[in-house]
Amino acid sequence: MKFISWNIDSLNAALTGSSPRSDLSRAVLRTIAGEGADIIAIQETKLPAAGMNKKQAAALQEYFPDYDNVWVSSHEPARKGYAGTMALYKKGICLSADFPAIGAPEPMDAEGRMITLELADFYFNLVYTPNAGDGLRRLAERQVWDQKYADYLADLDAKKPVISCGDYNVAHEEIDLAHPENNHQSAGFTDEERAGFSHLLDRGFVDTFRYLHGDVRGAYSWWAQRIKTSKINNSGWRIDYFLVSSRLKERVVRSQMLDSGERQDHAPILLELK
């Protein structure tokens, strides 16, 4: 089976926007569609609580005519049009969808950050992990999230194997970003966030990219938009992951980033299992 995950940074902008960046986003959507993945996980949809309008739904259908979808958006008490996730899956796949609350600090559970699909032989979890924020103002809450999320994923793993993916908003090791020396106090590379990710892996999960590629350097999934040369110079971070239960690791065939062209921000990531 093949899986793709992408932080789209506004589904509406990608589908119906008229800016040069929207054009770049649509090129990425065409790349994703061409892969024919069984399940596609989308983060940061930024949709309203009611979901897509007719124009957006029609545009999505043009790219993915052979897929059904489920979604969850930010809702009260969280702010509107924030975060949000969506899963697209090939028609005919038998599954059930859950939109779990994990007991995270308010309003994180209301921000539409997670969808779990249950299939016959495994769970598929997609997540958009909260960012620690400017000035690390949300770091304490992020640490609670990390613990609650690890507990949740481990509980799933006790029932059947888990495939999990998304924007985890952390570069785990120094080799996961271009300039670790300058970023130890930056959101996404604090000791606390890195320890939280280590704890998650220690609960029985494998970072599939590192499992296949070892200590390869220079492989990133995110480049800052506000720094115009970040992608040209490959000054990036790897903060998007596919994780699997340890007992699935020998089934991993591919785990890689997909080409996102000139578009800065997140690149899609792909996992293939035999």
Side-chain angles (χ1 to χ4, degrees), residues 19 21 24 47 61 88 103 118 154 159 179 199 202 212 224 268-269:
S19 69
R21 177 172 167 79
L24 294 174
L47 292 174
Q61 183 72 9
L88 298 97
E118 182 176 0
K159 301 170 188 174
H179 299 291
H199 173 70
D202 289 344
L212 284 187
I269 58 173

Side-chain angles (χ1 to χ4, degrees), residues 72-262:
V72 60
S73 293
S74 180
H75 55 274
E76 292 184 354
R79 71 178 190 258
K80 298 178 181 179
Y82 179 65
T85 49
M86 174 182 286
L88 298 97
Y89 57 94
K90 281 188 174 178
K91 293 179 179 179
I93 294 179
C94 184
L95 57 78
S96 61
D98 185 31
F99 311 96
I102 59 174
E106 284 197 10
M108 290 176 174
D109 277 335
E111 290 172 345
R113 292 188 172 274
M114 190 156 39
I115 301 173
T116 297
L117 307 178
E118 182 176 0
L119 291 84
D121 298 321
F122 63 92
Y123 290 104
F124 181 89
N125 170 263
L126 71 101
V127 65
Y128 176 37
T129 302
N131 192 297
D134 293 337
L136 303 179
R137 57 183 171 75
R138 216 178 187 189
L139 179 58
E141 290 89 346
R142 162 66 186 266
Q143 288 177 267
V144 177
W145 169 281
D146 284 345
Q147 180 63 58
K148 297 286 188 180
Y149 178 74
D151 291 343
Y152 171 74
L153 225 58
D155 286 345
L156 291 182
D157 186 49
K159 301 170 188 174
K160 63 177 77 174
V162 175
I163 300 165
S164 184
C165 66
D167 174 3
Y168 282 83
N169 264 317
V170 61
H172 185 211
E173 303 289 355
E174 290 196 349
I175 58 175
D176 290 317
L177 70 167
H179 299 291
E181 67 281 359
N182 300 331
N183 284 291
H184 283 283
Q185 295 303 313
S186 298
F189 196 61
T190 63
D191 291 345
E192 293 86 349
E193 291 163 299
R194 295 169 65 196
F197 196 78
S198 292
H199 173 70
L200 173 60
L201 297 181
D202 289 344
R203 298 293 294 272
F205 300 97
V206 171
D207 173 355
T208 59
F209 182 86
R210 286 289 167 222
Y211 175 73
L212 284 187
H213 302 287
D215 291 337
V216 65
R217 295 174 180 267
Y220 308 125
S221 67
W222 177 83
W223 301 264
Q225 293 185 63
R226 58 188 173 186
I227 302 174
K228 293 183 178 180
T229 59
S230 65
K231 196 164 192 181
I232 294 171
N233 295 332
N234 199 28
S235 182
W237 297 46
R238 190 173 73 95
I239 58 176
D240 302 88
Y241 299 83
F242 266 107
L243 310 181
V244 298
S245 297
S246 296
R247 59 192 183 278
L248 292 181
K249 65 183 181 182
E250 294 182 0
R251 295 178 179 264
V252 177
V253 176
R254 282 199 294 162
S255 182
Q256 64 189 61
M257 294 70 167
L258 294 178
D259 184 12
S260 57
E262 297 178 8

Side-chain angles (χ1 to χ4, degrees), residues 16-28:
T16 64
S18 58
S19 69
R21 177 172 167 79
S22 296
D23 292 337
L24 294 174
S25 296
R26 284 189 280 273
V28 177

